[in-house]
Amino acid sequence: MRRGLSNPQFRVFQNGRELHLGEYFTDTVTRRGQGIRFANMTRLGALMGEGCTLVLDELDFSDPTLEAACRAL
């Protein structure tokens, strides 16, 4: 919630291939005209139901609890 995840930090693989961003990200424009990209949770949920693999690199930098857990490991 503090920081958005984007490619290459956030990637999705299915059947041994990396999926194109357009398959699980949505582009939108804010009221101020700024373009932003965010994960399409409906599509991502469907991909996960089909057995895809999510790669979340350096997630411990985004969340203090995960950072503590990674340091403990």
Side-chain angles (χ1 to χ4, degrees):
M1 305 241 334
R2 294 183 190 107
R3 203 193 307 172
L5 296 173
S6 60
N7 190 278
Q9 183 184 18
F10 176 44
R11 295 172 288 152
V12 177
F13 289 81
Q14 189 172 42
N15 299 322
R17 72 172 184 90
E18 184 173 357
L19 300 181
H20 185 272
L21 292 177
E23 295 187 55
Y24 58 95
F25 269 95
T26 299
D27 293 324
T28 191
V29 178
T30 67
R31 288 180 287 170
R32 295 185 179 188
Q34 178 185 13
I36 59 171
R37 175 174 283 169
F38 59 93
N40 180 326
M41 298 309 286
T42 301
R43 180 63 183 137
L44 194 54
L47 288 168
M48 291 176 70
E50 296 170 8
C52 75
T53 299
L54 300 178
V55 176
L56 302 168
D57 291 334
E58 299 181 343
L59 191 59
D60 56 313
F61 290 104
S62 301
D63 183 81
T65 304
L66 284 174
E67 179 182 4
C70 289
R71 287 180 187 268
L73 290 173

